[in-house]
Amino acid sequence: MELKAKDTYRIQVQDYLSPLLYSSLLSLYQPIIGPYATLLYLTLVNEGIHQRSLETHGRLCEILNINIVDLYKARCKLEEFNLINSYVKTVDDRYSYIYIINYPLSPESLLKNELFIKLLIRSIGTKQFELTASKLINNKANLEDYKNISSKMRDDEIATLRLDEIKFNKVRPKYSFINQDNIKFDYDRFFKKISALVFPIELRTETNLKIIGEIACLNGINVDEMIILVGNSIDFKKKEFNIEYLKKAAAKISSGKLNSKDIYQSSPIAFLQAKQNGVEIASSDRMILETLAYKYGLSNEVINTLVEYVLKINQNRLIYNFVDKIASEWTRDGVKTREDALKACNKDNNINKKVNKPIRIMPEYHQDNDDDSDRDALLAKLKKEFNNG
């Protein structure tokens, strides 16, 4: 697959390399994978930690001062040694990649690997290999007969730091590329087209990004429309994101267009509107749909299946408490897809049949009794009562 400068990428990485793994990369990996691959790896780690939107491979070429062909060869070398895993999908006229960064193995692990040792000796020779290995051998001090007298932080100091950490987490900018099955929103395109002036980096928290996707899916709003709505929902002086304004603004322009390929993937607003012959849905019904999307985080196909099921069994009426009860049960049962939802509907139907089946309680004298003497005594008693009127 040809790599092009306009192809975009995003990086998944946990943290910077520890000093030990950094030594492993430079001393053991680099002689085998080469300087371009080593520099590309370090650059991807650094870029990934600070990445706030999709970037192009052209940017990597400029940073590394290499051409796209050499960049591709360096990436392949990292893949061969499991330093990165690469994933790709087609987006319009380009490819979009995800690079998942794996940490190098420790020197101790690598120097026990016969194949890796042979590769390293082939690259730098036996003499240099022995010198490198001797530098990386961990000479641990013998602690036998020694007593640990190291000071420890007091419990009250630790408690104070924990409080500080809670405060820090509230103000620290967070960022995550959303990848949830229930949200069918093109975040790749969204990040590519929206600028930091319209949607400041510090407001791109996981919570905000998640609700943006949920609002878009519920109302059938595309990326271009959502960019405008998000920009209008931000107070730039206070650096605040007004989610309630976004919800109301989205409701005003929600699309009633069904998904032509699969109607159950349509926005719940459009799906319910189609169920009532194109008539605009009531505010009470919209509130129910918003509960299913925002409170329970259900996907469009699950919401639409639930709505269709309730309308069928409840005389075309949506009642909040009834829908809420079913949604909570489905959430507990782990309903994620339309197939799961259909199974849940069948399960509910079977339970209702058992519950609603009339139970006929027979009179005492009609109940089975294996004791003939008891039956004769009962018949005699009934005959006597009948004769006495």
Side-chain angles (χ1 to χ4, degrees):
M1 183 179 293
E2 182 184 1
L3 184 65
K4 298 178 180 178
K6 68 177 181 180
D7 292 339
T8 59
Y9 69 90
R10 70 189 196 212
I11 304 166
Q12 180 179 309
V13 60
Q14 297 298 322
D15 204 348
Y16 289 109
L17 297 182
S18 67
L20 181 66
L21 297 184
Y22 189 82
S23 295
S24 179
L25 177 71
L26 294 182
S27 298
L28 299 176
Y29 281 90
Q30 182 174 220
I32 301 173
I33 65 177
Y36 281 169
T38 303
L39 189 55
L40 174 59
Y41 182 84
L42 293 172
T43 302
L44 290 176
V45 171
N46 183 69
E47 287 282 290
I49 290 174
H50 299 287
Q51 190 175 29
R52 291 295 179 267
S53 62
L54 292 176
E55 306 289 350
T56 66
H57 286 77
R59 168 180 165 80
L60 280 177
C61 289
E62 292 176 2
I63 293 175
L64 297 168
N65 195 24
I66 60 177
N67 60 46
I68 196 70
V69 175
D70 288 337
L71 177 65
Y72 174 73
K73 291 178 180 179
R75 193 196 77 193
C76 291
K77 189 63 70 173
L78 294 178
E79 293 166 352
E80 290 172 8
F81 284 82
N82 197 36
L83 288 170
I84 68 169
N85 295 117
S86 303
Y87 299 83
V88 65
K89 74 173 182 178
T90 304
V91 180
D92 299 329
D93 62 338
R94 57 184 169 79
Y95 293 113
S96 182
Y97 293 83
I98 296 177
Y99 296 135
I100 297 179
I101 307 299
N102 302 319
Y103 287 131
L105 295 177
S106 68
E108 183 179 359
S109 297
L110 287 177
L111 293 175
K112 291 179 180 178
N113 187 304
E114 183 177 350
L115 176 60
F116 193 91
I117 290 174
K118 288 180 179 178
L119 289 172
L120 192 56
I121 291 175
R122 180 188 297 176
S123 298
I124 62 177
T126 303
K127 183 178 180 180
Q128 293 300 326
F129 166 75
E130 292 176 350
L131 179 59
T132 297
S134 66
K135 288 182 178 180
L136 296 175
I137 291 176
N138 187 12
N139 296 315
K140 295 183 179 179
N142 185 358
L143 299 179
E144 188 177 354
D145 298 330
Y146 283 80
K147 180 181 178 181
N148 188 348
I149 59 170
S150 307
S151 299
K152 294 184 178 180
M153 189 176 292
R154 299 194 312 271
D155 290 340
D156 57 337
E157 289 180 316
I158 295 175
T160 303
L161 289 173
R162 285 174 181 164
L163 289 175
D164 290 342
E165 175 65 18
I166 293 173
K167 294 176 183 176
F168 174 69
N169 283 332
K170 288 183 178 180
V171 300
R172 178 176 56 185
K174 296 180 181 178
Y175 182 85
S176 173
F177 285 104
I178 301 297
N179 186 22
Q180 293 183 282
D181 294 336
N182 65 307
I183 301 177
K184 305 297 183 182
F185 182 66
D186 192 349
Y187 284 100
D188 287 350
R189 181 178 172 84
F190 179 75
F191 289 129
K192 181 181 179 182
K193 300 194 70 173
I194 196 166
S195 72
L197 295 176
V198 175
F199 191 19
I201 300 299
E202 59 268 29
L203 295 180
R204 300 185 186 189
T205 65
E206 186 170 353
T207 300
N208 288 344
L209 293 174
K210 181 173 181 290
I211 196 65
I212 286 172
E214 289 174 341
I215 291 172
C217 292
L218 176 66
N219 295 279
I221 293 174
N222 62 39
V223 170
D224 294 327
E225 292 171 333
M226 183 53 73
I227 289 174
I228 296 173
L229 295 180
V230 167
N232 292 336
S233 302
I234 293 174
D235 186 330
F236 291 93
K237 291 183 179 179
K238 297 180 180 180
K239 291 289 184 181
E240 293 178 352
F241 183 40
N242 192 331
I243 293 176
E244 292 306 314
Y245 176 87
L246 180 62
K247 289 180 180 179
K248 293 177 181 177
K252 292 180 180 179
I253 66 168
S254 56
S255 172
K257 185 178 180 181
L258 289 173
N259 186 317
S260 58
K261 295 182 180 178
D262 182 359
I263 62 171
Y264 293 97
Q265 294 290 351
S266 305
S267 74
I269 301 295
F271 185 84
L272 181 56
Q273 194 168 316
K275 285 288 182 182
Q276 50 195 44
N277 300 317
V279 178
E280 186 177 346
I281 68 173
S283 58
S284 57
D285 290 341
R286 172 177 279 278
M287 183 179 71
I288 291 174
L289 297 180
E290 289 178 348
T291 298
L292 297 176
Y294 306 150
K295 178 181 176 181
Y296 292 105
L298 300 179
S299 64
N300 283 1
E301 60 181 337
V302 172
I303 294 175
N304 293 334
T305 304
L306 190 157
V307 166
E308 186 175 59
Y309 172 64
V310 171
L311 292 176
K312 182 179 179 180
I313 67 172
N314 202 41
Q315 300 177 334
N316 263 346
R317 294 180 299 169
L318 291 178
I319 300 176
Y320 181 87
N321 290 338
F322 185 53
V323 174
D324 187 71
K325 181 177 182 295
I326 295 176
S328 63
E329 290 175 355
W330 286 16
T331 302
R332 288 194 297 271
D333 291 340
V335 174
K336 300 291 185 183
T337 65
R338 172 162 164 76
E339 183 180 1
D340 295 338
L342 291 174
K343 290 179 181 178
C345 292
N346 291 331
K347 176 184 173 183
D348 290 342
N349 285 332
N350 292 333
I351 292 175
N352 289 333
K353 286 179 182 178
K354 291 179 181 179
V355 171
N356 296 328
K357 183 178 180 180
I359 301 174
R360 186 178 179 186
I361 301 176
M362 302 296 289
E364 183 180 357
Y365 53 83
H366 280 173
Q367 294 181 16
D368 291 337
N369 194 323
D370 293 335
D371 193 335
D372 290 338
S373 61
D374 288 346
R375 184 184 295 109
D376 292 342
L378 181 59
L379 290 173
K381 181 181 178 181
L382 291 171
K383 184 177 180 181
K384 182 179 179 181
E385 291 178 356
F386 179 77
N387 291 332
N388 291 337

